[in-house]
Amino acid sequence: MKSPLKNQWVLITGASSGFGAAAATAFAAHGAKLLLGARRTDRLEKVASAAEKSGAAAALFHELDVAQTASVEKFMAWAKAQLTNRKSSSANLHVLVNNAGGAHGLDPVAAAQDADWETTFQTNVLGLLRVTRAALPLLPHDVGASIINIGSIAGRSAYAGAAAYCAAKSGELAITRALRHELFGTGIRVGTIDPGLAQTEFSNVRFKGDREKADAVYAGINPLTADDIAEIIVWVASRPPHVNIDEILVKPTDQADMGKVFRRRQK
Ligand code: NDP
Ligand code: 8X3
């Protein structure tokens, strides 16, 4: 059966690693056309090349820093040019995946740095808003286009050291819900996928390259993988146009709740 995503344009932010890179490969397997953004273009090049091998109808990439309005505008002008310049069955964007983000530090409020708070909000909250504002004119009405935001269990429950990250992901959830009201009647679907512990570069970024600390987060548990989340993103995007997958909370089986993780004894 032909995938509803075949030859459809899919824009993914934060496509240079983790969920975003895995989502590129997963959409590629459906024959989608990809517009990939992140700051590390050397990594994007590899992701795009792998996506082409996996069946993408096109896999294009461009530098994007969601923390900078000028960068978002430049990226989106490039994206618009790809949509309109290429002979394609559709000159519209079909799926926007707002995935770029992450946590910076694990310090309590009493000790945390402004720079970490600012980066957390610039990427997870303001970046999502900027990219969405710029992409909205490219999303057609009443044909099953989707905005899929990547939130977190952290937006639904709080933990020490993550006040800013939890607030930012709560913000993502609020933005998702507000957008659903704003886009009511347009036929554009809006949803959030909120994962628990997943092993990507997330903890390496949070701990600023301290691999020992990053690895300890997942020690003895069976965390979610980037492919697990990519599969869900693609599933959400490929539902029939009248079905909006509103909010998904997905955790590893070894995670009962925030902070309640089952760790197996390691040999
Ligand atoms: P990764 O660190 O592997 O990926 C993060 C991606 O975001 C990278 O591609 C990075 O690209 C991009 N990014 C970060 N800052 C910016 C920026 N300023 N502009 C553009 N792109 C940026 O982690 P994940 O794949 O795990 O994270 C993806 C999303 O999932 C994030 O929003 C994260 O908060 C969320 N999440 C992660 C969970 C986990 O446990 N891993 C659980 C729940 C949610 P580059 O550095 O090249 O710009
Ligand atoms: C990432 C999941 O639990 O590390 O959003 O905050 S957690």
Short mmCIF file of all heavy atoms in Angstrom, two decimals, residues 30-95:
data_model
loop_
_atom_site.label_atom_id
_atom_site.label_comp_id
_atom_site.label_asym_id
_atom_site.label_seq_id
_atom_site.Cartn_x
_atom_site.Cartn_y
_atom_site.Cartn_z
N HIS A 30 9.44 5.91 4.00
CA HIS A 30 8.09 6.11 3.43
C HIS A 30 8.15 6.89 2.12
O HIS A 30 7.11 7.28 1.58
CB HIS A 30 7.18 6.84 4.42
CG HIS A 30 6.71 5.97 5.54
ND1 HIS A 30 5.40 5.54 5.64
CD2 HIS A 30 7.38 5.41 6.58
CE1 HIS A 30 5.29 4.76 6.71
NE2 HIS A 30 6.46 4.67 7.30
N GLY A 31 9.35 7.20 1.66
CA GLY A 31 9.49 7.93 0.40
C GLY A 31 9.19 9.41 0.51
O GLY A 31 8.86 10.08 -0.48
N ALA A 32 9.31 9.97 1.74
CA ALA A 32 9.05 11.40 1.93
C ALA A 32 10.21 12.24 1.39
O ALA A 32 11.29 11.72 1.09
CB ALA A 32 8.83 11.69 3.41
N LYS A 33 9.96 13.54 1.28
CA LYS A 33 11.01 14.50 0.91
C LYS A 33 11.38 15.28 2.16
O LYS A 33 10.49 15.81 2.83
CB LYS A 33 10.49 15.47 -0.15
CG LYS A 33 10.12 14.80 -1.44
CD LYS A 33 9.57 15.84 -2.37
CE LYS A 33 9.10 15.18 -3.64
NZ LYS A 33 8.25 16.08 -4.40
N LEU A 34 12.67 15.35 2.43
CA LEU A 34 13.09 15.88 3.73
C LEU A 34 13.80 17.22 3.64
O LEU A 34 14.66 17.43 2.78
CB LEU A 34 14.05 14.87 4.38
CG LEU A 34 13.51 13.45 4.52
CD1 LEU A 34 14.60 12.53 5.05
CD2 LEU A 34 12.30 13.41 5.43
N LEU A 35 13.44 18.10 4.57
CA LEU A 35 14.14 19.36 4.77
C LEU A 35 14.68 19.31 6.20
O LEU A 35 13.90 19.27 7.15
CB LEU A 35 13.16 20.54 4.62
CG LEU A 35 12.50 20.66 3.23
CD1 LEU A 35 11.35 21.66 3.28
CD2 LEU A 35 13.53 21.07 2.18
N LEU A 36 16.00 19.25 6.32
CA LEU A 36 16.60 18.97 7.63
C LEU A 36 17.38 20.19 8.12
O LEU A 36 18.16 20.78 7.37
CB LEU A 36 17.55 17.77 7.51
CG LEU A 36 16.95 16.52 6.86
CD1 LEU A 36 18.03 15.45 6.65
CD2 LEU A 36 15.81 15.96 7.71
N GLY A 37 17.21 20.53 9.39
CA GLY A 37 17.93 21.67 9.95
C GLY A 37 18.57 21.36 11.29
O GLY A 37 18.04 20.57 12.08
N ALA A 38 19.71 21.98 11.54
CA ALA A 38 20.42 21.93 12.82
C ALA A 38 21.67 22.80 12.65
O ALA A 38 21.91 23.31 11.54
CB ALA A 38 20.82 20.50 13.20
N ARG A 39 22.45 22.96 13.71
CA ARG A 39 23.66 23.78 13.59
C ARG A 39 24.82 23.00 12.98
O ARG A 39 25.62 23.54 12.25
CB ARG A 39 24.05 24.32 14.98
CG ARG A 39 23.04 25.32 15.53
CD ARG A 39 23.24 25.56 17.00
NE ARG A 39 23.14 24.30 17.73
CZ ARG A 39 23.33 24.17 19.03
NH1 ARG A 39 23.66 25.22 19.75
NH2 ARG A 39 23.21 22.99 19.60
N ARG A 40 24.92 21.70 13.28
CA ARG A 40 26.08 20.90 12.80
C ARG A 40 25.79 20.38 11.39
O ARG A 40 25.22 19.29 11.22
CB ARG A 40 26.35 19.74 13.76
CG ARG A 40 26.92 20.19 15.12
CD ARG A 40 26.97 19.05 16.09
NE ARG A 40 25.64 18.58 16.46
CZ ARG A 40 25.40 17.52 17.22
NH1 ARG A 40 26.40 16.82 17.70
NH2 ARG A 40 24.16 17.17 17.49
N THR A 41 26.20 21.14 10.39
CA THR A 41 25.87 20.75 9.00
C THR A 41 26.65 19.51 8.56
O THR A 41 26.20 18.79 7.68
CB THR A 41 26.11 21.92 8.03
OG1 THR A 41 27.39 22.45 8.29
CG2 THR A 41 25.06 23.00 8.21
N ASP A 42 27.83 19.28 9.17
CA ASP A 42 28.58 18.06 8.78
C ASP A 42 27.77 16.82 9.16
O ASP A 42 27.71 15.84 8.41
CB ASP A 42 29.97 18.05 9.44
CG ASP A 42 29.92 18.20 10.96
OD1 ASP A 42 28.97 18.86 11.48
OD2 ASP A 42 30.79 17.64 11.65
N ARG A 43 27.10 16.91 10.30
CA ARG A 43 26.25 15.78 10.72
C ARG A 43 25.00 15.69 9.85
O ARG A 43 24.55 14.59 9.50
CB ARG A 43 25.86 15.95 12.19
CG ARG A 43 27.06 15.95 13.16
CD ARG A 43 27.52 14.55 13.46
NE ARG A 43 26.55 13.82 14.25
CZ ARG A 43 26.55 13.74 15.58
NH1 ARG A 43 27.50 14.32 16.26
NH2 ARG A 43 25.63 13.06 16.21
N LEU A 44 24.44 16.83 9.50
CA LEU A 44 23.23 16.83 8.64
C LEU A 44 23.54 16.19 7.30
O LEU A 44 22.71 15.48 6.74
CB LEU A 44 22.74 18.26 8.41
CG LEU A 44 22.04 18.95 9.58
CD1 LEU A 44 21.65 20.38 9.18
CD2 LEU A 44 20.80 18.18 10.03
N GLU A 45 24.75 16.44 6.81
CA GLU A 45 25.12 15.88 5.50
C GLU A 45 25.07 14.35 5.56
O GLU A 45 24.56 13.69 4.65
CB GLU A 45 26.53 16.36 5.15
CG GLU A 45 26.92 16.03 3.74
CD GLU A 45 28.26 16.66 3.35
OE1 GLU A 45 28.93 17.28 4.21
OE2 GLU A 45 28.62 16.50 2.18
N LYS A 46 25.57 13.80 6.65
CA LYS A 46 25.57 12.33 6.80
C LYS A 46 24.14 11.80 6.95
O LYS A 46 23.78 10.76 6.38
CB LYS A 46 26.39 11.93 8.04
CG LYS A 46 27.87 12.18 7.85
CD LYS A 46 28.70 11.55 8.95
CE LYS A 46 30.17 11.83 8.73
NZ LYS A 46 30.76 12.79 9.64
N VAL A 47 23.33 12.53 7.72
CA VAL A 47 21.93 12.10 7.92
C VAL A 47 21.19 12.13 6.58
O VAL A 47 20.47 11.19 6.22
CB VAL A 47 21.22 13.00 8.96
CG1 VAL A 47 19.73 12.69 9.05
CG2 VAL A 47 21.87 12.86 10.33
N ALA A 48 21.42 13.20 5.81
CA ALA A 48 20.74 13.32 4.51
C ALA A 48 21.18 12.22 3.56
O ALA A 48 20.35 11.62 2.85
CB ALA A 48 21.03 14.70 3.91
N SER A 49 22.45 11.91 3.59
CA SER A 49 22.94 10.87 2.68
C SER A 49 22.37 9.50 3.08
O SER A 49 21.95 8.71 2.21
CB SER A 49 24.47 10.93 2.73
OG SER A 49 25.03 9.73 2.44
N ALA A 50 22.28 9.23 4.38
CA ALA A 50 21.68 7.96 4.85
C ALA A 50 20.20 7.92 4.47
O ALA A 50 19.67 6.87 4.08
CB ALA A 50 21.86 7.82 6.36
N ALA A 51 19.53 9.07 4.57
CA ALA A 51 18.10 9.12 4.25
C ALA A 51 17.87 8.83 2.77
O ALA A 51 16.93 8.12 2.40
CB ALA A 51 17.53 10.49 4.62
N GLU A 52 18.76 9.35 1.93
CA GLU A 52 18.61 9.08 0.49
C GLU A 52 18.73 7.59 0.23
O GLU A 52 17.95 7.01 -0.53
CB GLU A 52 19.66 9.85 -0.30
CG GLU A 52 19.09 11.18 -0.77
CD GLU A 52 20.14 12.11 -1.33
OE1 GLU A 52 21.31 11.70 -1.50
OE2 GLU A 52 19.77 13.28 -1.57
N LYS A 53 19.68 6.97 0.93
CA LYS A 53 19.86 5.51 0.74
C LYS A 53 18.65 4.73 1.27
O LYS A 53 18.37 3.63 0.83
CB LYS A 53 21.14 5.04 1.46
CG LYS A 53 22.37 5.49 0.73
CD LYS A 53 23.64 4.92 1.32
CE LYS A 53 24.85 5.60 0.70
NZ LYS A 53 25.64 6.37 1.64
N SER A 54 17.96 5.30 2.25
CA SER A 54 16.79 4.61 2.84
C SER A 54 15.51 4.85 2.05
O SER A 54 14.45 4.40 2.47
CB SER A 54 16.56 5.07 4.28
OG SER A 54 17.68 4.81 5.06
N GLY A 55 15.59 5.63 0.96
CA GLY A 55 14.40 5.77 0.10
C GLY A 55 13.77 7.14 0.08
O GLY A 55 12.68 7.31 -0.51
N ALA A 56 14.40 8.14 0.67
CA ALA A 56 13.82 9.49 0.62
C ALA A 56 13.71 9.96 -0.83
O ALA A 56 14.62 9.74 -1.63
CB ALA A 56 14.69 10.46 1.41
N ALA A 57 12.59 10.62 -1.15
CA ALA A 57 12.44 11.17 -2.50
C ALA A 57 13.36 12.38 -2.68
O ALA A 57 13.73 12.73 -3.80
CB ALA A 57 10.98 11.55 -2.75
N ALA A 58 13.71 13.02 -1.58
CA ALA A 58 14.72 14.09 -1.55
C ALA A 58 15.16 14.23 -0.10
O ALA A 58 14.38 13.99 0.81
CB ALA A 58 14.12 15.40 -2.04
N ALA A 59 16.43 14.57 0.11
CA ALA A 59 16.93 14.78 1.48
C ALA A 59 17.88 15.98 1.43
O ALA A 59 19.03 15.86 1.01
CB ALA A 59 17.63 13.54 2.00
N LEU A 60 17.36 17.12 1.82
CA LEU A 60 18.09 18.38 1.70
C LEU A 60 18.32 18.94 3.10
O LEU A 60 17.50 18.72 4.00
CB LEU A 60 17.27 19.37 0.88
CG LEU A 60 16.72 18.80 -0.44
CD1 LEU A 60 15.70 19.74 -1.05
CD2 LEU A 60 17.87 18.55 -1.40
N PHE A 61 19.41 19.65 3.26
CA PHE A 61 19.69 20.17 4.60
C PHE A 61 20.24 21.59 4.52
O PHE A 61 20.76 22.02 3.48
CB PHE A 61 20.67 19.26 5.34
CG PHE A 61 22.04 19.20 4.72
CD1 PHE A 61 23.04 20.07 5.14
CD2 PHE A 61 22.33 18.30 3.71
CE1 PHE A 61 24.30 20.04 4.55
CE2 PHE A 61 23.58 18.26 3.12
CZ PHE A 61 24.57 19.13 3.54
N HIS A 62 20.10 22.30 5.63
CA HIS A 62 20.57 23.69 5.71
C HIS A 62 20.81 24.01 7.17
O HIS A 62 20.09 23.53 8.04
CB HIS A 62 19.50 24.63 5.13
CG HIS A 62 19.98 26.04 4.92
ND1 HIS A 62 20.08 26.96 5.95
CD2 HIS A 62 20.37 26.69 3.79
CE1 HIS A 62 20.52 28.11 5.46
NE2 HIS A 62 20.71 27.97 4.16
N GLU A 63 21.82 24.83 7.41
CA GLU A 63 22.13 25.24 8.78
C GLU A 63 20.92 25.94 9.42
O GLU A 63 20.24 26.75 8.76
CB GLU A 63 23.32 26.20 8.76
CG GLU A 63 23.79 26.58 10.14
CD GLU A 63 24.99 27.53 10.09
OE1 GLU A 63 25.46 27.88 8.99
OE2 GLU A 63 25.41 27.94 11.17
N LEU A 64 20.69 25.63 10.67
CA LEU A 64 19.57 26.25 11.41
C LEU A 64 19.95 26.37 12.88
O LEU A 64 20.32 25.38 13.51
CB LEU A 64 18.31 25.37 11.27
CG LEU A 64 17.14 25.72 12.21
CD1 LEU A 64 16.54 27.08 11.86
CD2 LEU A 64 16.05 24.64 12.13
N ASP A 65 19.84 27.58 13.40
CA ASP A 65 19.96 27.78 14.84
C ASP A 65 18.62 28.34 15.32
O ASP A 65 18.31 29.52 15.08
CB ASP A 65 21.10 28.75 15.16
CG ASP A 65 21.28 28.93 16.67
OD1 ASP A 65 20.42 28.44 17.44
OD2 ASP A 65 22.27 29.55 17.08
N VAL A 66 17.82 27.50 15.96
CA VAL A 66 16.47 27.93 16.33
C VAL A 66 16.49 29.03 17.39
O VAL A 66 15.47 29.67 17.65
CB VAL A 66 15.59 26.74 16.81
CG1 VAL A 66 15.40 25.71 15.72
CG2 VAL A 66 16.13 26.11 18.09
N ALA A 67 17.66 29.25 18.01
CA ALA A 67 17.77 30.28 19.03
C ALA A 67 17.95 31.68 18.42
O ALA A 67 17.99 32.67 19.15
CB ALA A 67 18.95 29.97 19.95
N GLN A 68 18.07 31.75 17.10
CA GLN A 68 18.30 33.03 16.42
C GLN A 68 17.20 33.26 15.40
O GLN A 68 17.08 32.48 14.43
CB GLN A 68 19.64 33.01 15.66
CG GLN A 68 20.83 32.55 16.45
CD GLN A 68 21.33 33.60 17.44
OE1 GLN A 68 21.05 34.79 17.26
NE2 GLN A 68 22.01 33.16 18.47
N THR A 69 16.45 34.33 15.57
CA THR A 69 15.36 34.61 14.62
C THR A 69 15.89 34.73 13.20
O THR A 69 15.28 34.19 12.25
CB THR A 69 14.63 35.91 15.03
OG1 THR A 69 14.12 35.73 16.35
CG2 THR A 69 13.46 36.22 14.11
N ALA A 70 17.03 35.40 13.01
CA ALA A 70 17.56 35.59 11.65
C ALA A 70 17.88 34.24 11.01
O ALA A 70 17.64 34.03 9.82
CB ALA A 70 18.80 36.47 11.70
N SER A 71 18.41 33.31 11.80
CA SER A 71 18.75 31.99 11.27
C SER A 71 17.48 31.22 10.88
O SER A 71 17.43 30.56 9.84
CB SER A 71 19.56 31.21 12.31
OG SER A 71 19.76 29.88 11.89
N VAL A 72 16.46 31.34 11.70
CA VAL A 72 15.19 30.66 11.39
C VAL A 72 14.60 31.23 10.11
O VAL A 72 14.14 30.47 9.23
CB VAL A 72 14.18 30.79 12.57
CG1 VAL A 72 12.81 30.27 12.18
CG2 VAL A 72 14.71 30.07 13.80
N GLU A 73 14.66 32.54 9.96
CA GLU A 73 14.08 33.17 8.76
C GLU A 73 14.86 32.75 7.50
O GLU A 73 14.28 32.46 6.45
CB GLU A 73 14.03 34.68 8.91
CG GLU A 73 12.88 35.07 9.85
CD GLU A 73 12.86 36.54 10.24
OE1 GLU A 73 13.78 37.29 9.86
OE2 GLU A 73 11.91 36.92 10.97
N LYS A 74 16.19 32.70 7.63
CA LYS A 74 17.04 32.30 6.50
C LYS A 74 16.73 30.84 6.12
O LYS A 74 16.57 30.49 4.96
CB LYS A 74 18.51 32.45 6.91
CG LYS A 74 19.46 32.55 5.77
CD LYS A 74 20.82 32.99 6.29
CE LYS A 74 21.90 32.76 5.26
NZ LYS A 74 23.23 32.94 5.78
N PHE A 75 16.65 30.01 7.15
CA PHE A 75 16.38 28.59 6.92
C PHE A 75 15.02 28.42 6.23
O PHE A 75 14.87 27.66 5.27
CB PHE A 75 16.39 27.83 8.26
CG PHE A 75 16.01 26.38 8.13
CD1 PHE A 75 16.96 25.42 7.81
CD2 PHE A 75 14.70 25.98 8.32
CE1 PHE A 75 16.61 24.09 7.67
CE2 PHE A 75 14.33 24.65 8.20
CZ PHE A 75 15.30 23.69 7.87
N MET A 76 14.02 29.16 6.70
CA MET A 76 12.68 28.96 6.18
C MET A 76 12.57 29.53 4.76
O MET A 76 11.83 28.97 3.94
CB MET A 76 11.67 29.61 7.12
CG MET A 76 10.39 28.83 7.23
SD MET A 76 10.55 27.05 7.53
CE MET A 76 10.72 27.06 9.28
N ALA A 77 13.33 30.57 4.46
CA ALA A 77 13.35 31.09 3.07
C ALA A 77 13.95 30.02 2.16
O ALA A 77 13.45 29.77 1.05
CB ALA A 77 14.16 32.37 3.01
N TRP A 78 15.00 29.37 2.64
CA TRP A 78 15.61 28.27 1.87
C TRP A 78 14.60 27.13 1.69
O TRP A 78 14.43 26.61 0.58
CB TRP A 78 16.86 27.76 2.62
CG TRP A 78 17.34 26.42 2.14
CD1 TRP A 78 18.12 26.17 1.04
CD2 TRP A 78 17.04 25.14 2.71
NE1 TRP A 78 18.31 24.82 0.91
CE2 TRP A 78 17.67 24.16 1.91
CE3 TRP A 78 16.30 24.72 3.83
CZ2 TRP A 78 17.58 22.80 2.18
CZ3 TRP A 78 16.21 23.36 4.10
CH2 TRP A 78 16.84 22.41 3.28
N ALA A 79 13.89 26.79 2.79
CA ALA A 79 12.91 25.69 2.73
C ALA A 79 11.83 26.02 1.70
O ALA A 79 11.46 25.18 0.87
CB ALA A 79 12.30 25.45 4.11
N LYS A 80 11.35 27.25 1.73
CA LYS A 80 10.28 27.66 0.81
C LYS A 80 10.77 27.56 -0.64
O LYS A 80 10.04 27.09 -1.52
CB LYS A 80 9.87 29.11 1.13
CG LYS A 80 8.62 29.52 0.43
CD LYS A 80 8.19 30.91 0.87
CE LYS A 80 7.02 31.36 0.02
NZ LYS A 80 6.65 32.74 0.28
N ALA A 81 12.02 27.94 -0.85
CA ALA A 81 12.58 27.86 -2.21
C ALA A 81 12.64 26.41 -2.68
O ALA A 81 12.37 26.11 -3.84
CB ALA A 81 13.97 28.49 -2.23
N GLN A 82 12.96 25.48 -1.77
CA GLN A 82 13.02 24.05 -2.17
C GLN A 82 11.62 23.58 -2.57
O GLN A 82 11.46 22.83 -3.53
CB GLN A 82 13.54 23.16 -1.04
CG GLN A 82 14.87 23.56 -0.45
CD GLN A 82 15.88 23.95 -1.50
OE1 GLN A 82 16.15 23.20 -2.44
NE2 GLN A 82 16.43 25.14 -1.35
N LEU A 83 10.62 24.01 -1.80
CA LEU A 83 9.24 23.57 -2.08
C LEU A 83 8.76 24.08 -3.43
O LEU A 83 8.09 23.36 -4.17
CB LEU A 83 8.26 24.10 -1.02
CG LEU A 83 8.47 23.68 0.43
CD1 LEU A 83 7.42 24.31 1.31
CD2 LEU A 83 8.41 22.17 0.57
N THR A 84 9.12 25.33 -3.73
CA THR A 84 8.55 25.93 -4.94
C THR A 84 9.43 25.68 -6.17
O THR A 84 8.92 25.64 -7.29
CB THR A 84 8.34 27.45 -4.75
OG1 THR A 84 9.53 27.99 -4.20
CG2 THR A 84 7.20 27.73 -3.80
N ASN A 85 10.75 25.48 -5.96
CA ASN A 85 11.64 25.32 -7.12
C ASN A 85 11.59 23.95 -7.75
O ASN A 85 11.93 23.77 -8.90
CB ASN A 85 13.10 25.56 -6.72
CG ASN A 85 13.34 27.02 -6.45
OD1 ASN A 85 12.48 27.83 -6.75
ND2 ASN A 85 14.49 27.35 -5.89
N ARG A 86 11.24 22.96 -6.92
CA ARG A 86 11.33 21.60 -7.43
C ARG A 86 10.02 21.15 -8.03
O ARG A 86 8.97 21.42 -7.46
CB ARG A 86 11.71 20.65 -6.28
CG ARG A 86 13.13 20.87 -5.93
CD ARG A 86 13.50 20.15 -4.69
NE ARG A 86 14.91 20.42 -4.50
CZ ARG A 86 15.86 19.55 -4.76
NH1 ARG A 86 15.58 18.33 -5.13
NH2 ARG A 86 17.13 19.88 -4.60
N LYS A 87 10.12 20.43 -9.12
CA LYS A 87 8.91 19.85 -9.69
C LYS A 87 8.48 18.77 -8.71
O LYS A 87 9.19 17.81 -8.46
CB LYS A 87 9.22 19.20 -11.04
CG LYS A 87 9.29 20.21 -12.15
CD LYS A 87 9.36 19.49 -13.48
CE LYS A 87 9.77 20.50 -14.54
NZ LYS A 87 10.61 19.92 -15.58
N SER A 88 7.34 18.95 -8.11
CA SER A 88 6.91 17.94 -7.15
C SER A 88 5.40 17.85 -7.14
O SER A 88 4.71 18.77 -7.57
CB SER A 88 7.40 18.31 -5.75
OG SER A 88 6.76 19.46 -5.32
N SER A 89 4.90 16.74 -6.63
CA SER A 89 3.46 16.56 -6.57
C SER A 89 2.85 17.58 -5.61
O SER A 89 1.71 17.96 -5.73
CB SER A 89 3.12 15.14 -6.12
OG SER A 89 3.82 14.85 -4.94
N SER A 90 3.64 18.06 -4.66
CA SER A 90 3.12 19.03 -3.71
C SER A 90 4.16 20.12 -3.47
O SER A 90 5.33 19.83 -3.28
CB SER A 90 2.81 18.32 -2.39
OG SER A 90 2.64 19.28 -1.39
N ALA A 91 3.74 21.38 -3.52
CA ALA A 91 4.65 22.48 -3.25
C ALA A 91 4.45 22.99 -1.84
O ALA A 91 4.87 24.09 -1.50
CB ALA A 91 4.43 23.58 -4.27
N ASN A 92 3.78 22.20 -1.03
CA ASN A 92 3.51 22.58 0.36
C ASN A 92 4.27 21.69 1.32
O ASN A 92 4.64 20.56 0.98
CB ASN A 92 2.02 22.42 0.65
CG ASN A 92 1.18 23.43 -0.10
OD1 ASN A 92 1.47 24.61 -0.05
ND2 ASN A 92 0.17 22.95 -0.79
N LEU A 93 4.40 22.21 2.53
CA LEU A 93 4.95 21.39 3.60
C LEU A 93 3.83 20.52 4.16
O LEU A 93 2.71 21.01 4.35
CB LEU A 93 5.47 22.35 4.67
CG LEU A 93 6.34 21.78 5.78
CD1 LEU A 93 7.57 21.12 5.20
CD2 LEU A 93 6.76 22.92 6.71
N HIS A 94 4.12 19.25 4.40
CA HIS A 94 3.07 18.37 4.92
C HIS A 94 3.25 18.12 6.43
O HIS A 94 2.27 17.99 7.15
CB HIS A 94 3.10 17.04 4.16
CG HIS A 94 1.91 16.17 4.41
ND1 HIS A 94 0.63 16.54 4.04
CD2 HIS A 94 1.78 14.98 5.04
CE1 HIS A 94 -0.23 15.59 4.39
NE2 HIS A 94 0.45 14.63 5.02
N VAL A 95 4.51 18.03 6.86
CA VAL A 95 4.77 17.74 8.28
C VAL A 95 5.88 18.65 8.79
O VAL A 95 6.93 18.79 8.15
CB VAL A 95 5.23 16.27 8.49
CG1 VAL A 95 5.39 15.96 9.97
CG2 VAL A 95 4.25 15.29 7.86
#
